[in-house]
Amino acid sequence: MQLDKFSDYALRILIALEAHAPDKLATSGIAQMYGVSENHLSKIATQLAKNGFVVSERGRGGGLTLAKQAREISIGAVLRALKRDQPVVECFGSNSTCTILPACGLRAPLLEAQEAFFSALDGYSLADVASAKTPLKMLLALD
């Protein structure tokens, strides 16, 4: 399974927030850290907030912070939440037009593989993947 940029950037946002915790980070600052579009990161941050992974505060002194402790945020849970409406293959979705679907034996193995992917990531928390906090903070320093 391949992560799309949306999921990749979502994980990068969470890593930046953990590296700089407990400080709030503006989406513009995170975009600068990674050299990506602020507009795109804003959409991703909105989804992370809707799913309860970050808290977003508007206005002066606002920014993003983690909604939970990093050890309580499962990488698998983040990706499941973001990928919930994007099936790996068409036949997992509700609008399948595949003509061989009634007789295809590929669906069950693909579903098993998808679940194995998420299950493997369930074993890792944000704290695990951002454990090198000091080097991460240096690499993700704001100018």
Side-chain angles (χ1 to χ4, degrees):
M1 188 166 170
Q2 183 176 357
L3 291 184
D4 58 8
K5 283 187 178 186
F6 193 93
S7 299
D8 178 23
Y9 291 162
L11 294 174
R12 291 188 202 192
I13 289 170
L14 294 173
I15 288 170
L17 292 175
E18 172 57 9
H20 288 273
D23 297 340
K24 294 177 187 172
L25 293 179
T27 306
S28 59
I30 299 170
Q32 180 186 3
M33 290 173 188
Y34 290 116
V36 297
S37 162
E38 179 181 348
N39 187 40
H40 191 54
L41 282 191
S42 292
K43 292 175 187 176
I44 298 166
T46 298
Q47 285 301 311
L48 288 171
K50 282 183 182 178
N51 285 289
F53 298 110
V54 302
V55 174
S56 177
E57 295 179 34
R58 293 183 152 287
R60 185 174 171 93
L64 300 173
T65 54
L66 295 176
K68 310 175 198 178
Q69 294 292 316
R71 68 180 176 279
E72 297 172 356
I73 299 175
S74 158
I75 301 302
V78 171
L79 294 178
R80 270 191 189 90
L82 297 176
K83 303 295 281 175
R84 144 178 63 232
D85 297 327
Q86 299 172 359
V88 173
V89 290
E90 180 189 353
C91 62
F92 290 177
S94 57
N95 296 327
S96 179
T97 59
C98 182
T99 57
I100 65 169
L101 182 62
C104 181
L106 190 56
R107 189 168 192 226
L110 288 176
L111 188 58
E112 183 181 337
Q114 177 183 322
E115 187 48 41
F117 176 80
F118 289 128
S119 293
L121 293 171
D122 284 338
Y124 295 92
S125 71
L126 178 58
D128 295 326
V129 301
S131 63
K133 193 168 180 171
T134 301
L136 281 169
K137 191 170 184 174
M138 290 173 55
L139 291 166
L140 296 172
L142 290 169
D143 293 334

